[in-house]
Amino acid sequence: MPSQIKFSLPIYYTNEFKTKKWTTHLVGANWFRNLYPHEKNKLKQLYHEKVSEALQGTETKILGKYSTEYKYCYKSKVSDASNVVSQIEKFALDGLKEHGYITDDSVQYHIKSDGWTIEEDKLQPRIEITIKEL
């Protein structure tokens, strides 16, 4: 039976400041592109850590070709799912590669996406990610 990896990641990020009010943002491509480079790097590292935490104790590795599937659970009906899914997908696949759960995130290995589904969850907004070995 082919291997499979399933985990969830948050879709909101809170900037914590020492001297001013904290701000929370929906992590999407439009917001991310406007960050300062040091903030982008901080966010990427945070998501790589979140991937590692979500998969702690998982020994499943996918060394060959794989497909992805996403379930976007939104809080606000005005959120743009494609912006959020694409940005967090990038962080998730890079984190999986960094921690050795997948060989690479290039088109040589990531050859299929079974798309994504969308549903509302005001209490626990998140993205659920499934990676399936082909």
Side-chain angles (χ1 to χ4, degrees), residues 20-62:
K20 62 182 181 177
K21 186 177 177 181
W22 293 4
T23 57
T24 299
H25 304 277
L26 179 63
V27 177
N30 290 340
W31 171 75
F32 182 75
R33 78 165 177 248
N34 294 323
L35 290 177
Y36 291 112
H38 69 278
E39 285 287 328
K40 287 181 180 182
N41 192 47
K42 180 179 170 185
L43 188 63
K44 286 183 218 177
Q45 290 176 357
L46 173 72
Y47 269 88
H48 290 196
E49 289 173 23
K50 297 261 183 216
V51 168
S52 179
E53 290 169 10
L55 294 173
Q56 193 155 4
T58 300
E59 296 195 20
T60 303
K61 308 271 190 236
I62 297 177

